[in-house]
Amino acid sequence: GNGGSGFVVVRYQIGTIDSAKATGGAISFYNDKTIHVFTSSGTFVNPGSISNAEIVMIGAGGAGGNNIAGGGGAGAVMEGSSLTMPANTYTITVGAGGAGKSSLGVETPGTATDTTITYPGPYTITAQRGGYGGGYTDTVAQPGGSGGGGATVSPSNGGSSTKADQTVPIGSFTSYGNAGGTVAGSFWGGGGGGAGSVGGAGDVEEGTPPSSTGGDGGDGRQL
């Protein structure tokens, strides 16, 4: 029989856990900075004060609406820089995305949840969840960090953006989000809003017979 092919593994060290000043999340090192990434809820614990810290938070995404419906809005993007974080345990809650629904006249899509950092004071920093999309007959687009796209039940409305800048003792945060797209006489839904732009409008294109298109989702934001 034929011999098996070989392979190569290259591994190198980019840092060690004991060089980090804090614990929590997946820790990596880049460009003289220590990065803690939380993709699920947990705690960030720093035994001493940290200066010139940066934090990026993203709320959970909204669900799409029911049947010929609007798209779900993105969670707000919350950014803070030049932060001073006193020694503390910071509780990280990573928001859960909204649950979509598939039937007419049933229940509205599930509401997504916020992403938060809570620490003694008490103080909470919140990146708002995205709003769910509107439905064909039974669901109005929901507001959120970025709003859900509109649909036939309320054709002139996409969900609004409820993002909010915040200032807490560790520093100031800027929130990014936009409204969902509207619907212009179409059965197709508006796109969900994104951190970089509003959702596109659902529209009817001229022709015989006329055709309909759903709105594009709003742009994101580069971190």
Side-chain angles (χ1 to χ4, degrees), residues 55-206:
I55 294 177
V56 175
M57 304 165 60
I58 303 176
N66 296 347
N67 196 307
I68 315 180
V77 174
M78 182 74 71
E79 298 178 8
S81 60
S82 301
L83 306 173
T84 298
M85 303 179 70
N88 259 325
T89 295
Y90 298 78
T91 301
I92 310 293
T93 302
V94 174
K101 300 296 180 182
S102 60
S103 301
L104 291 175
V106 188
E107 48 192 304
T108 57
T111 296
T113 56
D114 298 333
T115 292
T116 61
I117 299 176
T118 304
Y119 60 101
Y123 302 104
T124 300
I125 311 160
T126 301
Q128 292 93 336
R129 86 292 182 273
Y132 53 67
Y136 178 57
T137 61
D138 56 354
T139 307
V140 177
Q142 186 185 42
S146 283
T152 310
V153 67
S154 182
S156 62
N157 296 320
S160 62
S161 174
T162 58
K163 67 179 179 62
D165 296 345
Q166 297 166 52
T167 298
V168 290
I170 66 173
S172 296
F173 290 78
T174 302
S175 184
Y176 298 90
N178 287 280
T182 58
V183 177
S186 168
F187 284 112
W188 301 100
S197 70
V198 299
D203 203 357
V204 176
E205 298 177 355
E206 294 183 0

